[in-house]
Amino acid sequence: MKAIVLLGAPGAGKGVQAALLKASLGVPHVSTGEMLRERIRQGASPEAVAGAVQSGELVTDEVVNRMVEERLSRSDAANGFILDGYPRTVAQAEHLRDWLERRGGREVVVHLVVDYNIVIKRLTGRRQCPRCGTLYNVFFRPPLVEGVCDLDGEKLAIRGDDNELVIRERLDAYDRQTRPVLDYYRSAGIRVIDVDAGAASPEGVFGEISQAMK
Ligand code: ADP
């Protein structure tokens, strides 16, 4: 069982790379951010969870660990999976380590490295189709018609936490709580693949990841 862990600041492109990896490897893409947003949409999350996501703070380890365990225990994840947005704290990384150890699995960590200024533009310019999930960016990858999905004509949406104040909080949470996860993996002797995710196209970044994972 191979667990591909995508690490990187908000806006580093974890979601896009996860989608490309999923298509090429045929293993599920597990995004804790998407799972949390879906639960909130359905009214299935406690107030505290919705509040944390809306303000850019992290949800508690306990809630996220339980949610991820449930997802990874499904049969489609038996051979491996791509984790996007998890682990985000050292405690989550330790939890995953235990879970994998019991199943003979191992992490491969892909660290998407990207400049702070690019991240801000990516996040403030990000738009998503609420129907099919396709991502756009008003600066880097605009839709053919402004505000409308190329694929299904749906009106594009801005994620609630993609506003400047909340973006700052998310980047801060990344620096304080998630950066240490990289050190955790390095000192545990787990391979961390550093990929420059700032300049190249998503396909270029994906090419680098595939090359390094061979
Ligand atoms: P991004 O990486 O662009 O900030 P995500 O979609 O991964 O966005 O996450 C959105 C929000 O969901 C986070 O700001 C946080 O509140 C919550 N979240 C997602 N994953 C985790 C996690 N592993 N632990 C705690 N909170 C999480």
Side-chain angles (χ1 to χ4, degrees):
M1 182 192 277
K2 195 197 248 180
I4 299 177
V5 173
L6 291 173
L7 277 179
K14 298 184 296 291
V16 173
Q17 294 307 319
L20 292 169
L21 283 162
K22 176 189 173 182
S24 96
L25 301 174
V27 293
H29 168 195
V30 177
S31 160
T32 45
E34 282 299 332
M35 288 165 79
L36 289 167
R37 282 190 290 279
E38 182 57 29
R39 289 178 178 209
I40 292 165
R41 264 196 298 274
Q42 293 174 347
S45 273
E47 200 74 4
V49 172
V53 171
Q54 271 144 26
S55 60
E57 288 159 28
L58 296 190
V59 172
T60 62
D61 292 332
E62 199 197 344
V63 166
V64 180
N65 285 337
R66 194 176 336 116
M67 183 177 82
V68 169
E69 256 193 44
E70 250 172 57
R71 177 63 190 89
L72 299 187
S73 302
R74 285 201 228 146
S75 59
D76 66 338
N79 293 323
F81 40 82
I82 301 149
L83 290 169
D84 157 12
Y86 181 92
R88 239 181 173 89
T89 63
V90 171
Q92 291 176 20
E94 286 169 341
H95 187 86
L96 176 66
R97 189 88 284 283
D98 283 350
W99 192 89
L100 284 168
E101 218 147 52
R102 275 181 269 132
R103 289 162 181 79
R106 192 160 178 82
E107 305 90 335
V108 179
V109 180
V110 177
H111 175 209
L112 301 175
V113 185
V114 58
D115 181 83
Y116 186 86
N117 292 310
I118 296 176
V119 153
I120 297 275
K121 274 199 142 177
R122 284 189 181 167
L123 295 172
T124 53
R126 176 155 69 181
R127 303 289 182 272
Q128 187 169 29
C129 174
R131 194 186 298 169
C132 69
T134 301
L135 287 165
Y136 298 88
N137 188 290
V138 299
F139 305 112
F140 306 118
R141 191 179 178 275
L144 297 171
V145 179
E146 197 188 314
V148 177
C149 180
D150 293 352
L151 303 182
D152 56 25
E154 187 78 17
K155 190 170 177 287
L156 299 180
I158 302 179
R159 240 171 72 177
D161 60 350
D162 277 346
N163 72 69
E164 209 155 334
L165 216 73
V166 179
I167 289 171
R168 211 161 299 173
E169 178 60 40
R170 284 157 63 203
L171 289 171
D172 194 48
Y174 180 78
D175 275 332
R176 279 182 292 117
Q177 291 163 283
T178 310
R179 248 181 227 294
V181 174
L182 282 165
D183 300 325
Y184 166 82
Y185 281 126
R186 290 200 171 103
S187 53
I190 289 164
R191 184 169 173 225
V192 176
I193 301 170
D194 292 294
V195 177
D196 175 5
S201 64
E203 290 74 20
V205 174
F206 178 65
E208 262 192 62
I209 295 173
S210 309
Q211 196 61 34
M213 283 201 317
K214 263 182 199 155

